[in-house]
Amino acid sequence: MRSSLNTEYYEKITLKIINPFRIAQYVLSAHELKQLPKDEGIEVAIAGRSNAGKSSAINTLADQKGLARTSKTPGRTQQIVIFELDEGRRIADLPGYGYAKVPLKLKAHWKTVMERYFQTRKCLRGVVLVMDIRHPMREFDEQMLSWCQAAGTPCHILLTKSDKLKRGPAQSTLLKIKRDLPPIASIQVFSSLNKTGLEQLVEKLSNWYEYDHKEG
Ligand code: GDP
């Protein structure tokens, strides 16, 4: 008992030391692609339907409560928010999609902008696609996956709010989705509430950002 508590304690401490995402800071909000930082270095985009838990996942990853805005009235911000880890490494928080109250014209505009972002952004190393584990693989999630597939961009799916399900149903949702994923995609369960899966996410992103290659 004591040693398992110790293990848990050391895992938490180690994660604090090795989680390089805690230094993330806000840089800018872009309404147009041309307002984005120069297309160089490594960018990882985070996407998800409104209310999926995307902002909470970013805050959990960065261990900062107010970095990305969480909201009970989702979908208001139709912009790409850029956070920086260092000069050459960025997180792009893509606008939440699927919220009914966004006017159709704006939705169409954003679909075009997003599609162009995926097609043209050379520094885009991967996409974290956040889904509520209780409502996975909706139309827009499929859309994101197919853009990633078309561009050959890796896509890592976070089935978040996993604390809302028991372990069994959470695992079976994971396995069911995993079976049909294209080779560019990977998947894990996650919870911002109890930090389930945080280590796995940090590991995936560290790999994309090449922390393990450059900093040893
Ligand atoms: P976004 O619109 O995708 O950025 O979603 P938010 O991060 O704002 O989250 C939407 C709602 O879900 C908020 O009320 C959050 O507190 C809640 N939420 C987000 N992540 C989790 C989670 O892992 N577990 C639980 N129980 N609730 C969560």
Side-chain angles (χ1 to χ4, degrees):
M1 184 68 187
R2 194 174 167 163
S3 80
S4 92
L5 272 180
N6 275 346
T7 311
E8 207 172 291
Y9 172 77
Y10 282 114
E11 269 173 11
K12 275 196 177 135
I13 295 282
T14 318
L15 189 59
K16 268 195 188 292
I17 299 165
I18 62 168
N19 179 351
F21 304 101
R22 300 171 80 224
I23 55 165
Q25 352 178 12
Y26 172 82
V27 179
L28 58 84
S29 300
H31 295 270
E32 304 284 342
L33 292 185
K34 58 175 192 260
Q35 296 169 333
L36 288 175
K38 262 193 178 166
D39 191 358
E40 41 187 49
I42 302 176
E43 198 162 279
V44 170
I46 315 227
R49 282 167 53 82
S50 296
N51 218 32
K54 178 165 62 77
S55 311
S56 304
I58 294 172
N59 290 341
T60 301
L61 177 69
D63 197 14
Q64 299 179 39
K65 276 201 174 75
L67 186 65
R69 252 190 345 155
T70 53
S71 158
K72 293 224 181 276
T73 50
R76 280 175 303 178
T77 46
Q78 292 292 300
Q79 54 197 8
I80 301 175
V81 180
I82 299 289
F83 304 103
E84 196 174 72
L85 301 166
D86 58 44
E87 244 181 74
R89 295 177 172 108
R90 293 175 303 276
I91 297 171
D93 180 6
L94 302 185
Y97 51 76
Y99 185 54
K101 283 186 185 161
V102 173
L104 271 181
K105 217 173 137 184
L106 195 60
K107 271 189 188 167
H109 168 72
W110 268 98
K111 199 172 170 201
T112 316
V113 174
M114 282 301 101
E115 194 166 11
R116 216 150 51 81
Y117 174 79
F118 278 91
Q119 283 168 353
T120 60
R121 194 82 174 150
K122 288 198 266 316
C123 62
L124 181 62
R125 176 67 181 82
V127 177
V128 176
L129 181 52
V130 180
M131 302 178 198
D132 186 323
I133 194 163
R134 298 163 303 171
H135 315 287
M137 289 306 234
R138 294 294 166 93
E139 188 189 342
F140 283 105
D141 301 319
E142 301 274 7
Q143 173 81 84
M144 281 286 156
L145 256 180
S146 69
W147 282 337
C148 286
Q149 223 180 335
T153 306
C155 180
H156 186 63
I157 298 171
L158 279 194
L159 292 176
T160 194
K161 307 195 193 180
S162 68
D163 56 277
K164 298 266 192 190
L165 295 184
K166 291 213 169 94
R167 200 170 177 280
Q171 284 302 312
S172 70
T173 304
L174 175 87
L175 292 175
K176 202 168 141 218
I177 299 173
K178 201 172 185 174
R179 266 204 311 262
D180 299 324
L181 287 180
I184 48 115
S186 50
I187 187 166
Q188 67 163 100
V189 293
F190 188 81
S191 164
S192 294
L193 193 75
N194 60 23
K195 304 205 176 6
T196 302
L198 178 57
E199 249 173 292
Q200 200 180 339
L201 178 63
V202 167
E203 204 181 309
K204 181 70 169 187
L205 292 181
S206 298
N207 185 273
W208 281 355
Y209 282 113
E210 298 174 12
Y211 279 119
D212 32 1
H213 305 268
K214 283 181 188 157
E215 272 90 34

